[in-house]
Every structure is written in structure tokens, then in C-alpha cells.
Amino acid sequence: MKSQIFKKWWFWVIVVVFIGALANNNNSDKEKAEAAPKQQPAATPAATQPPADAVVQKEAPATATPAPTDAKKEADKKETSDNKFGNIGITANQFKTAFNKAAAEFKSDLKIGSLKVEDGAVQNTFSTKLTEHLYVNGSVNKSDGKLREVYVLGNGDGTPKSGADLMVSFGLIVTATNPNLSADERGTVFKDLGLIGDNVDIKKLDKSIVRKNIKYTIKYMDQIGFMFIASDPNEK
């Protein structure tokens, strides 16, 4: 049986780093909000009247944009339908099964329950809640039902549990989309993404790597938190 992710030293190193970084980030944001001066409403400028002897030029009448022809509409429609999206080789249900299987192996309570794929104009999508702070989202190709990409979106609250949930969710995404990677190889994913090392700055995380034809991307955004994405590296 593959060694569990919790027994790897690098997992707990990342959890400790994330807990500290998230706590500092939350305190920093709070301090900035308290220190920010309250803005006074700007005065409304008085209307400026033109001089009495000024020459008022009339605007040229707007030229109506011609309506697209039926041929143009069909060409645009064909172009949209012919767009080639990438895929990561599994359907939404296959991903759900693989994710929950990995969660059971890791003895994690992060499980995907119901997963409803919503119909979209260009692609279908789904979003499912893991915890109060974490969601799994994905886009699904209409043509073959395979995932174009899947990602964890969320943040922690500074507690050990939330820090562990973040890292476990990243590991579950990697395992579900790349089941043949060993635990050590999963560790190199985190290392090469910049999650392991001295003075990790979570606010500057924005990097991608490729493992066995799956691209993994980590991003951090102040208002949203973390995005850990699995996608097709060949998609332009």
C-alpha cells in the first residue's frame, strides 16, 4: 500500500508554514483595515456653463452598426463550436470516485458528496463544498464529458485543522488526477510549486509545473485565497 501523505515530513512542514502565514496574513489585513482612514464623500463639482459667445458644435449623428448577416452568424457559431478545449482524461464522476478513494486512503474527511454538473453556454461546470472554507470547482467539455480543469478554491482560518485541510485538498487533487504518482513524487509537486522552502510568501504564489501530462498551478489572491488547479498542459 502506498505510504500515507500524513507520514511525510514535508507535509507537516507545509502545514506549519501555512498556519503561520495565514495567521500573519489575517492579522495584517485586520490591522490595515483598522488603520485605514475613513474617506469623506467627495464634493460634487458645480456645473460649468459655457461662455455666452461660445460656439456650440452639434454632434454628428451616430452611424448605425449594420446587423450581422446570417452567414456571419453561422460562421461565428461554427467558430465557437469548433473551439478545441483541453482535458485531463477523466469525467466529473470519475474524478469524484478517485478523489473520495484518495480521501479514504489518506483517512481524510474531505469527501465529495453530490456532484451536479450544470449546463453552460460553452462548457458545463460544477461546484461542490468540502468545508466552510474550501470548494472544488471544475469545467466539463460538452463534446465528450471530460474535465477541462478542476481546482480547489478557498482559504484557512489560521487553525491547524484548516491548514491541514488546505494541504490535504491539494494532495487529493494531485492523487485523483495522477494516481500513479508515489507519495514522494507528490511531495516534489509541492516543492517545485514553491510550497516548501525558507521564507515562503503565500501572497506571491503563482506558479505551474507539469507531472505526467497534468499541469498543476498554485495561485493566491487576497480576496479569494488559494487556487490549486489541475489542467491540460497542451491547451493554449
Side-chain angles (χ1 to χ4, degrees):
M1 181 178 178
K2 295 178 181 177
S3 56
Q4 294 179 3
I5 193 172
F6 299 118
K7 296 181 180 179
K8 296 297 178 179
W9 64 268
W10 48 261
F11 172 79
W12 292 109
V13 169
I14 301 173
V15 169
V16 171
V17 169
F18 265 60
I19 291 171
L22 289 170
N24 292 336
N25 186 50
N26 290 338
N27 291 336
S28 176
D29 290 343
K30 184 177 179 181
E31 291 172 359
K32 288 180 181 178
E34 292 175 349
K38 295 182 179 180
Q39 295 183 349
Q40 298 296 329
T44 303
T48 302
Q49 297 293 334
D53 58 349
V55 177
V56 179
Q57 295 182 348
K58 294 183 179 180
E59 294 183 358
T63 303
T65 302
T69 63
D70 291 341
K72 179 68 166 54
K73 290 180 180 178
E74 287 300 319
D76 291 342
K77 183 177 179 181
K78 184 177 187 302
E79 183 179 353
T80 300
S81 63
D82 286 347
N83 281 338
K84 301 298 183 183
F85 295 109
N87 72 78
I88 58 175
I90 54 176
T91 66
N93 284 330
Q94 288 171 336
F95 166 74
K96 172 187 172 181
T97 299
F99 186 95
N100 288 342
K101 179 181 178 182
E105 292 178 356
F106 295 168
K107 301 186 184 306
S108 168
D109 57 359
L110 298 178
K111 302 256 177 78
I112 296 177
S114 60
L115 196 158
K116 184 179 180 181
V117 177
E118 302 286 349
D119 189 54
V122 179
Q123 286 197 303
N124 300 332
T125 60
F126 67 82
S127 179
T128 185
K129 185 177 180 180
L130 294 178
T131 71
E132 290 299 321
H133 304 286
L134 288 175
Y135 289 81
V136 174
N137 301 330
S139 58
V140 183
N141 291 330
K142 285 180 171 291
S143 59
D144 55 12
K146 290 184 178 179
L147 287 177
R148 179 187 181 189
E149 66 177 9
V150 63
Y151 58 95
V152 171
L153 178 66
N155 213 335
D157 57 11
T159 63
K161 178 69 165 68
S162 69
D165 284 344
L166 272 170
M167 292 312 306
V168 171
S169 68
F170 298 169
L172 294 177
I173 290 288
V174 174
T175 306
T177 57
N178 235 325
N180 293 324
L181 290 181
S182 67
D184 288 330
E185 288 174 320
R186 291 195 292 271
T188 65
V189 171
F190 297 137
K191 180 179 179 180
D192 292 346
L193 284 173
L195 294 171
I196 301 177
D198 297 330
N199 302 317
V200 175
D201 188 348
I202 63 173
K203 287 190 174 183
K204 294 182 179 179
L205 287 175
D206 187 357
K207 190 174 180 180
S208 297
I209 64 167
V210 176
R211 288 292 186 278
K212 295 186 178 181
N213 208 36
I214 301 292
K215 181 171 76 171
Y216 297 105
T217 302
I218 181 75
K219 294 183 179 182
Y220 181 82
M221 292 166 283
D222 288 332
Q223 301 301 321
I224 298 175
F226 293 95
M227 286 185 70
F228 188 84
I229 311 164
S231 60
D232 185 345
N234 298 313
E235 181 176 334
K236 296 180 180 180

